[in-house]
Amino acid sequence: MKKYIIFDLDGTLVSSIGESMSLIRNYFVKHFPELNGDYIQEYFLSTTGTPLWEQVAHVLADYQVDIQKITQDIFTLLLQVEPEFFPWVPQAIQKLSKQYTLFLSTWNSTQFAIRILIEWGIQDCFSLIYGSDEVLKWAEHIALFKKYSQDKIFYKNAIYVWDWNSDREFAEMFGIDFIHIWSEWIDKQEIESVAEIESILENL
């Protein structure tokens, strides 16, 4: 039986991508009007999951600007987003937390994630919560989760729950079982909502 579940936030547990991308687009159009707004939105959307600092650095590679400050400005802007959890997901998280150790990893800020989880009364369901403002997302977050678990076979005992294709590749790098939250039906383990996750967990 698996012991750990690593969750993404945006697009996996909550619906927030559309509003977040609109705020990011507006920020760049306002401060860098020579940049193409459609390109900005498409780039950030297609690379969702990549740490925000890396996304900003890529877009502004030709500019002599303070990337860290701009990244923090965007994190602050994103605190305006008021996402909704997908139906029955908070209830599913509460139930899962009684059987598994849960971790949360997001490209957004830790402050954003904690605020949303507190509002829905499920912050305590997660043992660790990391955004890419504190530690760059993906490998670094996984390393912290593994260290916390003190489990030498953490990767074997973990499940990675995400909604972007790039995350599949990342899970494969570490040998972690991947559950795709989508409706493309291209993955062995794929469901439309975290609320349906128990149907897969029974077979892992």
Side-chain angles (χ1 to χ4, degrees):
M1 177 180 172
K2 299 292 185 178
K3 298 180 180 180
Y4 318 101
I5 306 179
I6 305 165
F7 285 102
D8 178 35
L9 182 64
D10 307 86
T12 299
L13 301 182
V14 302
S15 176
S16 58
I17 294 297
E19 187 177 354
S20 297
M21 293 302 108
S22 179
L23 287 172
I24 290 172
R25 173 194 174 118
N26 291 342
Y27 175 89
F28 280 96
V29 168
K30 177 180 178 180
H31 295 280
F32 303 93
E34 66 278 11
L35 293 177
N36 183 287
D38 290 339
Y39 162 75
I40 294 297
Q41 185 160 328
E42 178 58 31
Y43 170 74
F44 276 86
L45 185 60
S46 66
T47 58
T48 297
T50 302
L52 182 60
W53 184 92
E54 293 183 11
Q55 292 174 305
V56 173
H58 174 84
V59 169
L60 300 179
D62 296 331
Y63 290 76
Q64 297 297 318
V65 292
D66 187 340
I67 299 298
Q68 190 62 47
K69 181 182 182 305
I70 291 172
T71 301
Q72 189 55 55
D73 287 345
I74 294 175
F75 275 134
T76 300
L77 186 66
L78 291 174
L79 290 174
Q80 299 177 22
V81 176
E82 293 290 345
E84 289 284 333
F85 273 86
F86 292 114
W88 301 107
V89 167
Q91 293 88 336
I93 292 297
Q94 289 175 335
K95 187 174 181 180
L96 290 169
S97 69
K98 294 178 172 60
Q99 299 174 266
Y100 302 88
T101 299
L102 307 185
F103 301 110
L104 186 74
S105 172
T106 176
W107 72 279
N108 211 316
S109 67
T110 305
Q111 182 182 358
F112 174 84
I114 290 176
R115 175 174 68 84
I116 301 307
L117 296 175
I118 288 176
E119 288 177 2
W120 286 79
I122 57 174
Q123 179 194 4
D124 292 341
C125 292
F126 293 90
S127 295
L128 290 179
I129 300 165
Y130 275 104
S132 63
D133 58 326
E134 290 191 10
V135 180
L136 291 186
K137 190 173 180 284
W138 286 353
E140 291 82 354
H141 287 186
I142 300 298
L144 289 168
F145 300 153
K146 182 178 186 295
K147 181 179 180 180
Y148 175 90
S149 74
Q150 297 185 340
D151 188 342
K152 293 182 179 179
I153 55 172
F154 174 81
Y155 302 141
K156 181 178 180 180
N157 287 328
I159 302 167
Y160 198 84
V161 185
W162 242 272
D163 62 309
W164 290 95
N165 292 330
S166 57
D167 296 301
R168 180 192 306 107
E169 299 172 5
F170 185 72
E172 290 175 352
M173 284 173 52
F174 285 87
I176 301 175
D177 283 324
F178 176 74
I179 297 179
H180 193 191
I181 305 299
W182 206 253
S183 56
E184 294 178 313
W185 314 121
I186 59 176
D187 284 285
K188 180 180 179 181
Q189 313 292 351
E190 184 168 336
I191 50 179
E192 293 188 45
S193 170
V194 169
E196 305 168 9
I197 198 171
E198 285 190 290
S199 64
I200 289 182
L201 295 177
E202 293 173 356
N203 300 316
L204 290 177

